[in-house]
Amino acid sequence: MPSRRAEELIALLDNIEVSDYKGDSSSHGDRVLIAEAARRLLARLETPFERAWRLSWINGNVHAAIQIILDLGIWEGWYSSKRREISVLELHALAREPCDLNLLRRLLRLLTVEHVIQELGEDRYGATAFSDALGQKEESVAQTILSGTHHGLDSSRNLPRFLSRTGYAEPLDPKNTSYMDLTPDRLGMFERCRADSGCQASFIGFMRGLAAYKLDWTEIYDTKILMRDFDAYGEEALLVDIGGAHAVDLERLLRRYPDLPSGKLILQDTPDVIAMATVSEKIQVMGCDFFTPQPVKGARAYFMHAILHDWDDADASRILNNVAAAMTKEYSKLLLYESVLVSKGATMYQTVADVSIMHLISAAERTEGRWRELLQAAGFRVCKIWCHPSSLESVIEAELI
Ligand SMILES: C[S@@+](CC[C@H](N)C(=O)[O-])C[C@H]1O[C@@H](n2cnc3c(N)ncnc32)[C@H](O)[C@@H]1O
């Protein structure tokens, strides 16, 4: 039996409702801060053994169980059935491939303790917001689980082995990454995405989810600056989203200026990613390689979100040079929506992104000083670094010198 004090605390925690923290960007900030406090609480409450066990055994098994049920099509079938309560026998009948009933029962039992699903009785389960999201196979939650399977998990697990072989040198060579050890032909992450449509879909699905989760960049950067000198009925484009993938950032700008004529917002990415994109009619799509000359000249702004952080200074400079050559001096803006790494107090997003790009592509997040150096060397002047207390990233506004 818990003590009276413990009972009171449990009741207090169990009564926290996420709906109290939904809504505008400031309550988004509240929700994230409260979740962080809950993680700090867990770090104090868990013994070192419990923590090691969770990191090494619980997380891996839960991810595997979710993935297996995804592969069997059971999340999708359950979601389509619109049932809030369901039995293990009914879930078993939804499997697209034969599977042992008791195998499924064991996996579901694990998922109840991690609150992926609810346990309503013996062999009876309840849906959650998370299981509903897993049931929408093409959407970003399911694709994020798949992206872990295709990209993140094995590559991070291989990192200790990779580093012991390379003498613990900081991985900075994009031609030698932990990720490349995963396939016999040593494909890099972007190459593997191009070669395998499932890997590409899960990566872009994850990026779409991440972009949608992040704060709308038009709430950080004052887009009136762009509109002030922009002739919507002239020849030039308003904004080119280079490596824009899913167009979440362009759709946000369009929502702010719904009366923009067609073709003023341009989505660029590799042709295979462009083929997957579903965008508003007003957005023009363009398959192109950012290592080749930028085809759209004299746009009001060239935008890159989480692009340059994937590349070392040499490659980032090549990308920047192609943009610079297309820009009109004293008119065009360069907008980078990127992490600006702080030397103390880095956030969960910054540190996880930094180590992820380390093992996936031997890249690294940049500090403000490193961003300024990179931009200056490529012929840009930083006008302002736009920050927002609820944002994971900043908008770096720059112009040609
Ligand atoms: C980290 S994702 C960022 C996607 C999006 N901007 C976002 O923030 O969610 C990097 C993007 O760069 C694209 N990319 C990689 N190499 C490219 C190339 N050579 N030319 C154009 N796009 C490329 C990828 O397809 C991918 O969409």
Side-chain angles (χ1 to χ4, degrees), residues 159-397:
L159 187 59
R161 235 183 341 259
F162 173 83
L163 288 177
S164 74
R165 220 180 47 233
T166 60
Y168 297 95
E170 183 185 3
L172 295 173
D173 178 2
K175 301 226 160 23
N176 185 25
T177 66
S178 171
Y179 184 90
M180 286 173 171
D181 289 352
L182 305 183
T183 49
D185 35 6
R186 296 191 56 76
L187 289 178
M189 192 184 74
F190 292 122
E191 287 167 284
R192 182 157 167 224
C193 282
R194 279 194 278 277
D196 178 330
S197 60
C199 287
Q200 182 71 282
S202 71
F203 175 62
I204 298 298
F206 164 56
M207 291 312 300
R208 179 167 17 96
L210 194 55
Y213 166 76
K214 290 172 182 174
L215 191 63
D216 178 344
W217 71 277
T218 69
E219 286 186 39
I220 306 169
Y221 178 72
D222 183 0
T223 54
K224 289 202 274 314
I225 294 175
L226 302 182
M227 300 313 280
R228 214 176 286 146
D229 291 324
F230 178 65
D231 175 4
Y233 296 94
E235 297 271 287
E236 275 77 36
L238 173 63
L239 190 129
V240 185
D241 186 358
I242 302 169
H246 36 66
V248 166
D249 294 306
L250 282 178
E251 298 283 1
R252 284 174 161 169
L253 186 59
L254 183 59
R255 214 167 301 138
R256 203 166 268 269
Y257 302 106
D259 298 331
L260 274 173
S262 294
K264 295 291 151 189
L265 302 178
I266 300 174
L267 175 72
Q268 293 182 342
D269 210 295
T270 54
D272 54 322
V273 172
I274 288 294
M276 285 172 16
T278 44
V279 298
S280 301
E281 274 177 9
K282 282 191 172 178
I283 295 175
Q284 187 183 342
V285 296
M286 223 179 248
C288 46
D289 177 352
F290 47 50
F291 289 111
T292 61
Q294 170 57 242
V296 182
K297 312 288 180 202
R300 180 74 181 104
Y302 295 85
F303 177 91
M304 285 189 269
H305 182 184
I307 298 299
L308 295 185
H309 83 154
D310 289 340
W311 305 94
D312 63 14
D313 284 2
D315 281 333
S317 301
R318 287 168 60 208
I319 298 169
L320 284 171
N321 290 339
N322 285 322
V323 181
M327 289 171 71
T328 301
K329 201 168 173 187
E330 293 172 7
Y331 173 70
S332 301
K333 297 265 186 202
L334 173 71
L335 300 175
L336 306 178
Y337 191 18
E338 288 279 5
S339 257
V340 177
L341 193 61
V342 288
S343 38
K344 185 172 177 296
T347 60
M348 167 84 89
Y349 174 76
Q350 290 185 334
T351 54
V352 171
D354 184 50
V355 175
S356 300
I357 59 179
M358 176 202 285
H359 62 75
L360 291 171
I361 49 182
S362 290
E365 296 292 359
R366 292 181 173 88
T367 59
E368 180 177 336
R370 296 267 291 103
W371 279 118
R372 286 184 183 276
E373 277 167 26
L374 176 74
L375 286 165
Q376 196 177 5
F380 289 90
R381 175 181 77 83
V382 174
C383 309
K384 181 169 169 174
I385 300 183
W386 298 73
C387 306
H388 188 291
S390 299
S391 178
L392 304 175
E393 294 163 317
S394 306
V395 178
I396 305 172
E397 176 190 359

Side-chain angles (χ1 to χ4, degrees), residues 60-94:
N61 287 337
V62 168
H63 188 280
I66 290 172
Q67 170 76 65
I68 295 159
I69 297 174
L70 197 65
D71 292 343
L72 289 168
I74 294 176
W75 296 125
E76 228 176 336
W78 186 0
Y79 178 70
S80 306
S81 77
K82 299 193 167 54
R83 301 272 306 275
R84 303 316 294 163
E85 291 187 32
I86 201 159
S87 71
V88 70
L89 277 174
E90 290 164 316
L91 287 173
H92 184 250
L94 293 172

Side-chain angles (χ1 to χ4, degrees), residues 101-126:
L101 174 66
N102 208 43
L103 165 72
L104 183 62
R105 178 182 280 122
R106 290 168 68 182
L107 298 177
L108 292 169
R109 194 189 288 147
L110 168 70
L111 296 184
T112 62
V113 293
E114 205 38 27
H115 314 289
V116 173
I117 51 176
Q118 289 176 288
E119 186 174 43
L120 300 177
E122 192 180 338
D123 280 347
R124 284 202 75 73
Y125 300 106

